[in-house]
Amino acid sequence: MRILKNLMNFFFFAVVVALVLFFLVPQVEKELPQGVFYKKDVPLPTNLHPTVEKRKEQLVEKVRGSGINIVITEGHRSVQRQDKLYEQGRSSEGQIVTYAKGGESYHNYGLAIDFALENEDGRIIWDTEYDGNGNGRSDWLEIAEAAKGLGFEWGGDWENFKDYPHLQMDFGLSIRELKRGKRPKVDEYADEE
């Protein structure tokens, strides 16, 4: 009977520890100063990943061929720029445009781009209903569809925070893995054309 009681106590303790690690560690990771969970010997990229760059160019060419004037507004983003965007709508003026602090965005790892449209007057717009090529479909949704066909994930499909200008390729890596130094290898994801 005593062995059974000890086993039950151990099992209860193990479950509690597992739950704490599962729920608490990611939250603590967000609250700690930047760099605490980074692997020191793996620098952050300074450009778009070559595959993302190539697919970005293919996307621009494809949608422009359909009469859509796409503008890539951001690609790789520094941690400092990400922090500045995060402050927008919080400690600085403007609307909230991101929920990711520096180091928590795929932009910081060269794996994401943002886009907008250019209207007939040459103005940059973020109108998701705009039909500049006059085919009866939203240019924005046509871009998202084309991007997904090239392997991008579209922020407009996200459940919690719809990020309509955002396209990313995570290569199966989480932000946590990227923070710890994992990077997609160029050769692993090269096209097989």
Side-chain angles (χ1 to χ4, degrees):
M1 187 64 151
R2 186 175 208 180
I3 293 174
L4 183 59
K5 185 178 178 181
N6 286 341
L7 280 174
M8 287 180 62
N9 285 338
F10 176 77
F11 178 73
F12 177 75
F13 177 76
V15 167
V16 169
V17 168
L19 288 172
V20 166
L21 290 174
F22 184 77
F23 290 108
L24 188 61
V25 168
Q27 188 60 37
V28 167
E29 204 172 272
K30 287 181 183 178
E31 302 298 325
L32 287 173
Q34 195 171 1
V36 171
F37 284 93
Y38 287 92
K39 192 170 181 181
K40 301 278 189 233
D41 59 342
V42 181
L44 289 173
T46 56
N47 297 309
L48 283 177
H49 184 280
T51 301
V52 176
E53 178 69 38
K54 181 177 181 180
R55 297 304 168 113
K56 175 193 79 169
E57 297 300 328
Q58 290 172 338
L59 175 65
V60 168
E61 186 177 317
K62 182 174 186 168
V63 299
R64 284 200 176 143
S66 300
I68 298 172
N69 293 322
I70 186 175
V71 176
I72 304 301
T73 57
E74 291 230 39
H76 173 271
R77 190 181 292 152
S78 71
V79 170
Q80 294 78 15
R81 168 110 173 101
Q82 187 70 37
D83 282 336
K84 190 171 184 121
L85 285 174
Y86 181 81
E87 290 168 7
Q88 190 174 314
R90 293 177 179 87
S91 59
S92 69
E93 290 189 27
Q95 293 181 321
I96 290 176
V97 294
T98 185
Y99 288 93
K101 293 180 181 178
E104 296 176 0
S105 170
Y106 283 97
H107 284 282
N108 302 138
Y109 302 93
L111 303 177
I113 60 173
D114 288 342
F115 70 93
L117 300 170
E118 182 179 335
N119 70 9
E120 63 277 350
D121 298 332
R123 286 185 306 119
I124 305 301
I125 60 172
W126 285 266
D127 181 351
T128 59
E129 302 298 318
Y130 181 75
D131 180 21
N133 64 358
N135 67 355
R137 296 184 59 216
S138 157
D139 290 353
W140 204 276
L141 296 180
E142 288 184 73
I143 291 170
E145 183 179 302
K148 290 191 278 187
L150 291 169
F152 283 101
E153 177 184 341
W154 179 44
D157 288 333
W158 295 345
E159 291 294 319
N160 296 331
F161 173 65
K162 301 285 187 187
D163 192 353
Y164 293 103
H166 184 84
L167 300 168
Q168 71 183 36
M169 292 183 160
D170 63 21
F171 299 100
L173 296 173
S174 68
I175 290 293
R176 177 184 251 177
E177 290 172 311
L178 291 165
K179 286 170 106 175
R180 292 192 172 147
K182 281 191 102 175
R183 301 287 185 265
K185 291 187 174 61
V186 176
D187 294 338
E188 287 180 30
Y189 301 99
D191 291 336
E192 297 179 22
E193 296 177 42

